[in-house]
PDB file of all heavy atoms in Angstrom:
ATOM      1  N   SER A  76     153.713 211.564  -5.611  1.00  0.00           N
ATOM      2  CA  SER A  76     153.251 210.123  -5.456  1.00  0.00           C
ATOM      3  C   SER A  76     153.817 209.322  -6.660  1.00  0.00           C
ATOM      4  O   SER A  76     154.419 209.780  -7.531  1.00  0.00           O
ATOM      5  CB  SER A  76     151.679 209.960  -5.484  1.00  0.00           C
ATOM      6  OG  SER A  76     151.281 208.795  -5.159  1.00  0.00           O
ATOM      7  N   SER A  77     153.696 208.023  -6.467  1.00  0.00           N
ATOM      8  CA  SER A  77     153.997 207.114  -7.604  1.00  0.00           C
ATOM      9  C   SER A  77     152.856 207.454  -8.698  1.00  0.00           C
ATOM     10  O   SER A  77     151.719 207.910  -8.366  1.00  0.00           O
ATOM     11  CB  SER A  77     153.824 205.667  -7.116  1.00  0.00           C
ATOM     12  OG  SER A  77     152.711 205.319  -6.597  1.00  0.00           O
ATOM     13  N   HIS A  78     153.223 207.291  -9.835  1.00  0.00           N
ATOM     14  CA  HIS A  78     152.405 207.679 -10.984  1.00  0.00           C
ATOM     15  C   HIS A  78     151.202 206.621 -11.069  1.00  0.00           C
ATOM     16  O   HIS A  78     151.491 205.408 -10.855  1.00  0.00           O
ATOM     17  CB  HIS A  78     153.140 207.691 -12.358  1.00  0.00           C
ATOM     18  CG  HIS A  78     152.399 208.367 -13.443  1.00  0.00           C
ATOM     19  ND1 HIS A  78     151.308 207.883 -14.047  1.00  0.00           N
ATOM     20  CD2 HIS A  78     152.613 209.630 -13.916  1.00  0.00           C
ATOM     21  CE1 HIS A  78     151.018 208.593 -15.000  1.00  0.00           C
ATOM     22  NE2 HIS A  78     151.639 209.745 -14.972  1.00  0.00           N
ATOM     23  N   PRO A  79     149.961 207.107 -11.289  1.00  0.00           N
ATOM     24  CA  PRO A  79     148.956 206.065 -11.412  1.00  0.00           C
ATOM     25  C   PRO A  79     149.151 204.923 -12.348  1.00  0.00           C
ATOM     26  O   PRO A  79     148.834 203.706 -12.336  1.00  0.00           O
ATOM     27  CB  PRO A  79     147.668 206.843 -11.763  1.00  0.00           C
ATOM     28  CG  PRO A  79     148.023 208.175 -11.206  1.00  0.00           C
ATOM     29  CD  PRO A  79     149.435 208.263 -11.426  1.00  0.00           C
ATOM     30  N   THR A  80     149.950 205.289 -13.578  1.00  0.00           N
ATOM     31  CA  THR A  80     150.240 204.302 -14.534  1.00  0.00           C
ATOM     32  C   THR A  80     151.284 203.286 -14.064  1.00  0.00           C
ATOM     33  O   THR A  80     151.094 202.144 -14.320  1.00  0.00           O
ATOM     34  CB  THR A  80     150.782 205.074 -15.774  1.00  0.00           C
ATOM     35  OG1 THR A  80     149.729 206.011 -16.227  1.00  0.00           O
ATOM     36  CG2 THR A  80     151.111 204.005 -16.879  1.00  0.00           C
ATOM     37  N   ALA A  81     152.174 203.805 -13.239  1.00  0.00           N
ATOM     38  CA  ALA A  81     153.223 202.794 -12.715  1.00  0.00           C
ATOM     39  C   ALA A  81     152.538 201.839 -11.745  1.00  0.00           C
ATOM     40  O   ALA A  81     152.926 200.739 -11.710  1.00  0.00           O
ATOM     41  CB  ALA A  81     154.255 203.607 -11.975  1.00  0.00           C
ATOM     42  N   ASP A  82     151.722 202.427 -10.899  1.00  0.00           N
ATOM     43  CA  ASP A  82     150.914 201.562  -9.929  1.00  0.00           C
ATOM     44  C   ASP A  82     150.051 200.445 -10.750  1.00  0.00           C
ATOM     45  O   ASP A  82     150.055 199.279 -10.360  1.00  0.00           O
ATOM     46  CB  ASP A  82     149.824 202.395  -9.127  1.00  0.00           C
ATOM     47  CG  ASP A  82     150.704 203.198  -8.136  1.00  0.00           C
ATOM     48  OD1 ASP A  82     151.949 203.085  -7.960  1.00  0.00           O
ATOM     49  OD2 ASP A  82     149.919 204.200  -7.579  1.00  0.00           O
ATOM     50  N   TRP A  83     149.556 200.803 -11.796  1.00  0.00           N
ATOM     51  CA  TRP A  83     148.658 199.896 -12.616  1.00  0.00           C
ATOM     52  C   TRP A  83     149.535 198.888 -13.237  1.00  0.00           C
ATOM     53  O   TRP A  83     149.346 197.660 -13.207  1.00  0.00           O
ATOM     54  CB  TRP A  83     147.895 200.746 -13.651  1.00  0.00           C
ATOM     55  CG  TRP A  83     147.417 199.889 -14.883  1.00  0.00           C
ATOM     56  CD1 TRP A  83     146.531 198.821 -14.774  1.00  0.00           C
ATOM     57  CD2 TRP A  83     147.637 200.144 -16.175  1.00  0.00           C
ATOM     58  NE1 TRP A  83     146.256 198.265 -15.990  1.00  0.00           N
ATOM     59  CE2 TRP A  83     147.003 199.108 -16.845  1.00  0.00           C
ATOM     60  CE3 TRP A  83     148.363 201.015 -16.880  1.00  0.00           C
ATOM     61  CZ2 TRP A  83     146.919 198.993 -18.333  1.00  0.00           C
ATOM     62  CZ3 TRP A  83     148.333 200.987 -18.333  1.00  0.00           C
ATOM     63  CH2 TRP A  83     147.588 199.912 -18.954  1.00  0.00           C
ATOM     64  N   ILE A  84     150.782 199.303 -13.828  1.00  0.00           N
ATOM     65  CA  ILE A  84     151.627 198.330 -14.513  1.00  0.00           C
ATOM     66  C   ILE A  84     152.144 197.260 -13.356  1.00  0.00           C
ATOM     67  O   ILE A  84     152.298 196.169 -13.693  1.00  0.00           O
ATOM     68  CB  ILE A  84     152.851 199.046 -15.179  1.00  0.00           C
ATOM     69  CG1 ILE A  84     152.333 199.852 -16.341  1.00  0.00           C
ATOM     70  CG2 ILE A  84     153.938 198.202 -15.504  1.00  0.00           C
ATOM     71  CD1 ILE A  84     153.251 200.754 -17.024  1.00  0.00           C
ATOM     72  N   ALA A  85     152.449 197.799 -12.206  1.00  0.00           N
ATOM     73  CA  ALA A  85     152.997 196.977 -11.169  1.00  0.00           C
ATOM     74  C   ALA A  85     152.037 195.923 -10.645  1.00  0.00           C
ATOM     75  O   ALA A  85     152.293 194.791 -10.441  1.00  0.00           O
ATOM     76  CB  ALA A  85     153.493 197.806 -10.005  1.00  0.00           C
ATOM     77  N   ALA A  86     150.656 196.354 -10.479  1.00  0.00           N
ATOM     78  CA  ALA A  86     149.696 195.581  -9.941  1.00  0.00           C
ATOM     79  C   ALA A  86     148.877 194.720 -11.066  1.00  0.00           C
ATOM     80  O   ALA A  86     148.200 193.731 -10.698  1.00  0.00           O
ATOM     81  CB  ALA A  86     148.782 196.376  -9.079  1.00  0.00           C
ATOM     82  N   GLY A  87     148.862 195.214 -12.261  1.00  0.00           N
ATOM     83  CA  GLY A  87     148.067 194.622 -13.227  1.00  0.00           C
ATOM     84  C   GLY A  87     146.589 194.813 -13.152  1.00  0.00           C
ATOM     85  O   GLY A  87     146.139 195.768 -12.475  1.00  0.00           O
ATOM     86  N   GLY A  88     145.830 194.072 -13.761  1.00  0.00           N
ATOM     87  CA  GLY A  88     144.350 194.347 -13.868  1.00  0.00           C
ATOM     88  C   GLY A  88     144.028 195.580 -14.651  1.00  0.00           C
ATOM     89  O   GLY A  88     144.756 195.974 -15.590  1.00  0.00           O
ATOM     90  N   SER A  89     142.863 196.173 -14.377  1.00  0.00           N
ATOM     91  CA  SER A  89     142.314 197.379 -14.984  1.00  0.00           C
ATOM     92  C   SER A  89     142.857 198.600 -14.410  1.00  0.00           C
ATOM     93  O   SER A  89     143.093 198.746 -13.256  1.00  0.00           O
ATOM     94  CB  SER A  89     140.765 197.425 -14.889  1.00  0.00           C
ATOM     95  OG  SER A  89     140.339 198.647 -15.426  1.00  0.00           O
ATOM     96  N   TYR A  90     143.437 199.525 -15.250  1.00  0.00           N
ATOM     97  CA  TYR A  90     143.921 200.787 -14.835  1.00  0.00           C
ATOM     98  C   TYR A  90     142.781 201.456 -14.005  1.00  0.00           C
ATOM     99  O   TYR A  90     143.147 202.284 -13.053  1.00  0.00           O
ATOM    100  CB  TYR A  90     144.204 201.719 -16.085  1.00  0.00           C
ATOM    101  CG  TYR A  90     144.553 203.099 -15.675  1.00  0.00           C
ATOM    102  CD1 TYR A  90     145.717 203.487 -15.162  1.00  0.00           C
ATOM    103  CD2 TYR A  90     143.589 204.090 -15.904  1.00  0.00           C
ATOM    104  CE1 TYR A  90     145.930 204.806 -14.851  1.00  0.00           C
ATOM    105  CE2 TYR A  90     143.832 205.444 -15.549  1.00  0.00           C
ATOM    106  CZ  TYR A  90     145.016 205.711 -15.016  1.00  0.00           C
ATOM    107  OH  TYR A  90     145.315 207.017 -14.717  1.00  0.00           O
ATOM    108  N   PHE A  91     141.500 201.257 -14.162  1.00  0.00           N
ATOM    109  CA  PHE A  91     140.474 202.045 -13.591  1.00  0.00           C
ATOM    110  C   PHE A  91     140.013 201.444 -12.172  1.00  0.00           C
ATOM    111  O   PHE A  91     139.292 202.005 -11.555  1.00  0.00           O
ATOM    112  CB  PHE A  91     139.299 202.138 -14.422  1.00  0.00           C
ATOM    113  CG  PHE A  91     139.633 202.995 -15.768  1.00  0.00           C
ATOM    114  CD1 PHE A  91     139.821 202.205 -16.930  1.00  0.00           C
ATOM    115  CD2 PHE A  91     139.703 204.223 -15.617  1.00  0.00           C
ATOM    116  CE1 PHE A  91     140.168 202.983 -18.108  1.00  0.00           C
ATOM    117  CE2 PHE A  91     140.100 204.994 -16.845  1.00  0.00           C
ATOM    118  CZ  PHE A  91     140.242 204.404 -18.110  1.00  0.00           C
ATOM    119  N   GLU A  92     140.705 200.405 -11.791  1.00  0.00           N
ATOM    120  CA  GLU A  92     140.548 199.858 -10.530  1.00  0.00           C
ATOM    121  C   GLU A  92     141.066 200.659  -9.391  1.00  0.00           C
ATOM    122  O   GLU A  92     142.141 201.143  -9.587  1.00  0.00           O
ATOM    123  CB  GLU A  92     141.027 198.323 -10.346  1.00  0.00           C
ATOM    124  CG  GLU A  92     140.343 197.284 -11.140  1.00  0.00           C
ATOM    125  CD  GLU A  92     141.032 196.090 -11.026  1.00  0.00           C
ATOM    126  OE1 GLU A  92     141.695 195.713  -9.862  1.00  0.00           O
ATOM    127  OE2 GLU A  92     141.074 195.151 -11.912  1.00  0.00           O
ATOM    128  N   ALA A  93     140.405 200.818  -8.248  1.00  0.00           N
ATOM    129  CA  ALA A  93     140.883 201.517  -7.171  1.00  0.00           C
ATOM    130  C   ALA A  93     140.856 200.571  -5.953  1.00  0.00           C
ATOM    131  O   ALA A  93     139.946 199.808  -5.813  1.00  0.00           O
ATOM    132  CB  ALA A  93     140.136 202.721  -6.754  1.00  0.00           C
ATOM    133  N   GLY A  94     141.942 200.659  -5.135  1.00  0.00           N
ATOM    134  CA  GLY A  94     141.970 199.793  -3.923  1.00  0.00           C
ATOM    135  C   GLY A  94     143.394 199.611  -3.456  1.00  0.00           C
ATOM    136  O   GLY A  94     144.369 200.182  -4.077  1.00  0.00           O
ATOM    137  N   HIS A  95     143.611 198.913  -2.413  1.00  0.00           N
ATOM    138  CA  HIS A  95     144.813 198.585  -1.750  1.00  0.00           C
ATOM    139  C   HIS A  95     145.745 197.619  -2.570  1.00  0.00           C
ATOM    140  O   HIS A  95     145.030 196.601  -3.118  1.00  0.00           O
ATOM    141  CB  HIS A  95     144.715 198.201  -0.315  1.00  0.00           C
ATOM    142  CG  HIS A  95     144.404 199.305   0.517  1.00  0.00           C
ATOM    143  ND1 HIS A  95     143.026 199.479   1.015  1.00  0.00           N
ATOM    144  CD2 HIS A  95     145.096 200.296   1.137  1.00  0.00           C
ATOM    145  CE1 HIS A  95     143.113 200.614   1.722  1.00  0.00           C
ATOM    146  NE2 HIS A  95     144.377 201.102   1.842  1.00  0.00           N
ATOM    147  N   VAL A  96     146.964 197.832  -2.655  1.00  0.00           N
ATOM    148  CA  VAL A  96     147.869 197.050  -3.344  1.00  0.00           C
ATOM    149  C   VAL A  96     148.841 196.501  -2.272  1.00  0.00           C
ATOM    150  O   VAL A  96     149.339 197.342  -1.523  1.00  0.00           O
ATOM    151  CB  VAL A  96     148.512 197.675  -4.584  1.00  0.00           C
ATOM    152  CG1 VAL A  96     149.616 196.654  -5.156  1.00  0.00           C
ATOM    153  CG2 VAL A  96     147.479 198.043  -5.724  1.00  0.00           C
ATOM    154  N   GLU A  97     149.213 195.318  -2.365  1.00  0.00           N
ATOM    155  CA  GLU A  97     150.238 194.722  -1.444  1.00  0.00           C
ATOM    156  C   GLU A  97     151.361 194.127  -2.284  1.00  0.00           C
ATOM    157  O   GLU A  97     151.077 193.273  -3.074  1.00  0.00           O
ATOM    158  CB  GLU A  97     149.708 193.812  -0.523  1.00  0.00           C
ATOM    159  CG  GLU A  97     150.582 193.406   0.770  1.00  0.00           C
ATOM    160  CD  GLU A  97     149.816 192.753   1.773  1.00  0.00           C
ATOM    161  OE1 GLU A  97     148.921 193.371   2.462  1.00  0.00           O
ATOM    162  OE2 GLU A  97     150.166 191.591   2.004  1.00  0.00           O
ATOM    163  N   GLU A  98     152.599 194.576  -2.068  1.00  0.00           N
ATOM    164  CA  GLU A  98     153.748 193.977  -2.867  1.00  0.00           C
ATOM    165  C   GLU A  98     154.713 193.603  -1.814  1.00  0.00           C
ATOM    166  O   GLU A  98     154.889 194.191  -0.633  1.00  0.00           O
ATOM    167  CB  GLU A  98     154.331 195.072  -3.752  1.00  0.00           C
ATOM    168  CG  GLU A  98     153.524 195.630  -4.785  1.00  0.00           C
ATOM    169  CD  GLU A  98     154.125 196.812  -5.505  1.00  0.00           C
ATOM    170  OE1 GLU A  98     155.161 197.361  -5.023  1.00  0.00           O
ATOM    171  OE2 GLU A  98     153.562 197.180  -6.507  1.00  0.00           O
ATOM    172  N   THR A  99     155.546 192.577  -2.076  1.00  0.00           N
ATOM    173  CA  THR A  99     156.629 192.212  -1.275  1.00  0.00           C
ATOM    174  C   THR A  99     157.925 192.633  -1.962  1.00  0.00           C
ATOM    175  O   THR A  99     158.188 192.216  -3.084  1.00  0.00           O
ATOM    176  CB  THR A  99     156.659 190.626  -1.049  1.00  0.00           C
ATOM    177  OG1 THR A  99     155.425 190.227  -0.398  1.00  0.00           O
ATOM    178  CG2 THR A  99     157.731 190.191  -0.127  1.00  0.00           C
ATOM    179  N   TRP A 100     158.690 193.409  -1.248  1.00  0.00           N
ATOM    180  CA  TRP A 100     159.989 193.936  -1.820  1.00  0.00           C
ATOM    181  C   TRP A 100     161.060 193.059  -1.422  1.00  0.00           C
ATOM    182  O   TRP A 100     160.965 192.348  -0.498  1.00  0.00           O
ATOM    183  CB  TRP A 100     160.058 195.338  -1.302  1.00  0.00           C
ATOM    184  CG  TRP A 100     159.168 196.416  -1.967  1.00  0.00           C
ATOM    185  CD1 TRP A 100     158.168 196.170  -2.842  1.00  0.00           C
ATOM    186  CD2 TRP A 100     159.198 197.753  -1.738  1.00  0.00           C
ATOM    187  NE1 TRP A 100     157.488 197.313  -3.160  1.00  0.00           N
ATOM    188  CE2 TRP A 100     158.131 198.333  -2.527  1.00  0.00           C
ATOM    189  CE3 TRP A 100     159.843 198.561  -0.889  1.00  0.00           C
ATOM    190  CZ2 TRP A 100     157.837 199.675  -2.497  1.00  0.00           C
ATOM    191  CZ3 TRP A 100     159.612 199.980  -0.843  1.00  0.00           C
ATOM    192  CH2 TRP A 100     158.528 200.456  -1.708  1.00  0.00           C
ATOM    193  N   SER A 101     162.183 193.302  -2.001  1.00  0.00           N
ATOM    194  CA  SER A 101     163.338 192.441  -1.707  1.00  0.00           C
ATOM    195  C   SER A 101     163.709 192.606  -0.096  1.00  0.00           C
ATOM    196  O   SER A 101     163.381 193.583   0.438  1.00  0.00           O
ATOM    197  CB  SER A 101     164.542 193.077  -2.405  1.00  0.00           C
ATOM    198  OG  SER A 101     164.932 194.303  -2.111  1.00  0.00           O
ATOM    199  N   GLY A 102     164.132 191.547   0.495  1.00  0.00           N
ATOM    200  CA  GLY A 102     164.281 191.485   1.935  1.00  0.00           C
ATOM    201  C   GLY A 102     163.012 191.081   2.672  1.00  0.00           C
ATOM    202  O   GLY A 102     162.983 191.082   3.875  1.00  0.00           O
TER     203      GLY A 102
END
Side-chain angles (χ1 to χ4, degrees):
S76 182
S77 54
H78 196 286
T80 302
D82 293 344
W83 164 54
I84 290 170
S89 169
Y90 169 79
F91 297 102
E92 288 179 30
H95 285 100
V96 173
E97 194 168 291
E98 299 173 349
T99 302
W100 288 1
S101 60

